[in-house]
Each structure stands twice: as structure tokens, then as C-alpha cells.
Amino acid sequence: MRVVIAEDLFLLRDGLTRMLEAHGLQVAAAVDNGPDLLAAVTADKPDVVIVDVRLPPTFTDEGLRAALEARRQMPGLPVLVLSQYVEQLYARELLAGGTGGIGYLLKDRVVDSAQFVDAVRRVAGGGTAMDPEVIARLLAHNSGDGAVTALTPREREVLALMAEGRSNAAIAAQMVITERAVAKHTASIFLRLGLQPSDDDNRRVLAVLAYLNR
């Protein structure tokens, strides 16, 4: 698996490179700015891009804008955002395409290398890897929507775990309930949100995220 990293801090960029390579991934390029990210994506055709939202020169949204441009040039390019901040606008724009291969993790909440690499692999495979805090902000963004507010606390918990990319089995283990109970909650969530049910984990998560992105 070929990875391109865009991170302005040398120590973090080098640390990510070493960690990914230790887990058998190939870092095709590690850059510190948006233009170099676009150039690397064009030249190396990576399987996934890991990008910080805030890159030089203004440290506002260069990284995310470069990643979105790269995705426009290479439709479906998997992108994993690794940021210190929950940027709701950028998260919604990233999710707007609904094509999969998306992730948004907060730097200070990544504490396990194996879990992080698993998230990278999941995104590269077309899945999702969303930090719970990002999901909470997206839920809050839609807090005035009658369908979301109609969800029970248990259903909102299931919804947040679904949006992280977890399977029914993983949700059941996290909540200490049966998979059958999770399936019932999921069916109720889809019904309340007006979404078509799906057995495809990635598709159902993207459907929920697309709804929250409205």
C-alpha cells in the first residue's frame, strides 16, 4: 500500500513515516505543503493520502483544499485527515461526495499505532474512519433537524459508532448488547432518517454521514 503524507511538522511527519513503514506500508512521499502534495499525488498515484488541515503558508485550510483538489483530479482518492481541530465545514465538504475512502482523526486522540494503521487501511479500502468528536460535532450541526432529535439516546450512540465505521459486531461489543439489538436500533435509525437500509457497512455509514452533512 502506497501512502502520501502532508504534514508541516518534521517530527510528526517523520514519526508517521516510520510508524507506517514499520507496519508494512510504503510511504511514497512525505511533504509539508499543499502544492507538493498535489505533485506527489500526480506522480506517485498513492492508495491513500494522510493530510493535516493546516499547512503553510497561512496555516488555515491549505491541506484540506489540496486534498479536495487531489480528489477532484483523482475521483475516489482515499483521504485521511489528521488534524488538531474539528473543522466542521471541511468535514462536511470531505463527506459531500459520498464515495467512500474518507477519514477524519484528531491528532491528540491517536494513541495506538496499530489502531491508526488499521484506520489508514480501512480508508484506503474505501471505508471510513471518523473520530467520535467529529461525529458529535456533525450531530450537533443537525441538532435542529426533527429526524435527528427524534432519535433516542441509545440510537444516537449507535449512530455515532456506525459513523466511525464500526460493524454491528463491534458496536454490540462496545455497548455490551447483542448484535440483534444493534440491528433493531439500526433499522429504527434508518427509518427515522428516511434512509434505505443496507447490509454494506461502508455504504450505510456513508448514507448516515451524507444525511448528517445536509
Side-chain angles (χ1 to χ4, degrees), residues 127-138:
T128 60
M130 304 297 295
D131 189 283
E133 180 64 22
V134 177
I135 298 304
R137 294 292 183 90
L138 291 175

Side-chain angles (χ1 to χ4, degrees), residues 18-69:
R18 292 173 184 271
M19 178 176 62
L20 294 173
E21 290 179 341
H23 284 266
L25 281 65
Q26 178 185 354
V27 177
V31 302
D32 64 0
N33 62 80
D36 284 352
L37 170 62
L38 288 173
V41 167
T42 300
D44 299 306
K45 301 294 189 296
D47 298 299
V48 60
V49 169
I50 300 174
V51 59
D52 188 2
V53 170
R54 302 184 178 187
L55 293 176
T58 66
F59 296 97
T60 54
D61 62 356
E62 287 90 346
L64 212 292
R65 284 192 286 111
L68 291 170
E69 177 58 30

Side-chain angles (χ1 to χ4, degrees), residues 13 21 44 50 69 98 109 122 136 158 187 191-192 194 199:
R13 187 169 67 247
E21 290 179 341
D44 299 306
I50 300 174
E69 177 58 30
R109 291 163 64 97
R122 189 160 68 246
V158 170
L191 181 64
R192 293 178 191 274
D199 292 329

Side-chain angles (χ1 to χ4, degrees), residues 16-200:
L16 285 171
T17 299
R18 292 173 184 271
M19 178 176 62
L20 294 173
E21 290 179 341
H23 284 266
L25 281 65
Q26 178 185 354
V27 177
V31 302
D32 64 0
N33 62 80
D36 284 352
L37 170 62
L38 288 173
V41 167
T42 300
D44 299 306
K45 301 294 189 296
D47 298 299
V48 60
V49 169
I50 300 174
V51 59
D52 188 2
V53 170
R54 302 184 178 187
L55 293 176
T58 66
F59 296 97
T60 54
D61 62 356
E62 287 90 346
L64 212 292
R65 284 192 286 111
L68 291 170
E69 177 58 30
R71 214 170 193 216
R72 280 188 283 268
Q73 294 180 13
M74 293 181 59
L77 173 68
V79 173
L80 174 58
V81 176
L82 189 59
S83 177
Q84 289 180 297
Y85 313 94
V86 179
E87 304 281 5
Q88 293 185 57
L89 174 62
Y90 303 136
R92 292 198 299 273
E93 188 172 357
L94 183 66
L95 298 169
T99 56
I102 51 176
Y104 198 124
L105 301 179
L106 299 181
K107 290 179 179 178
D108 60 357
R109 291 163 64 97
V110 176
V111 296
D112 183 275
S113 64
Q115 288 184 352
F116 177 73
V117 172
D118 178 68
V120 173
R121 293 185 186 277
R122 189 160 68 246
V123 170
T128 60
M130 304 297 295
D131 189 283
E133 180 64 22
V134 177
I135 298 304
R137 294 292 183 90
L138 291 175
L139 281 169
H141 171 74
N142 279 55
S143 60
D145 188 291
V148 172
T149 56
L151 297 179
T152 68
R154 204 65 161 167
E155 288 169 350
R156 289 172 69 89
E157 187 177 355
V158 170
L159 174 62
L161 291 169
M162 284 173 56
E164 289 177 41
R166 302 197 187 199
S167 66
N168 278 6
I171 294 173
Q174 174 74 21
M175 298 179 65
V176 196
I177 58 177
T178 65
E179 287 189 51
R180 185 176 180 180
V182 174
K184 287 183 177 180
H185 286 310
T186 300
S188 177
I189 290 168
F190 281 129
L191 181 64
R192 293 178 191 274
L193 299 186
L195 300 169
Q196 290 298 317
S198 169
D199 292 329
D200 184 307

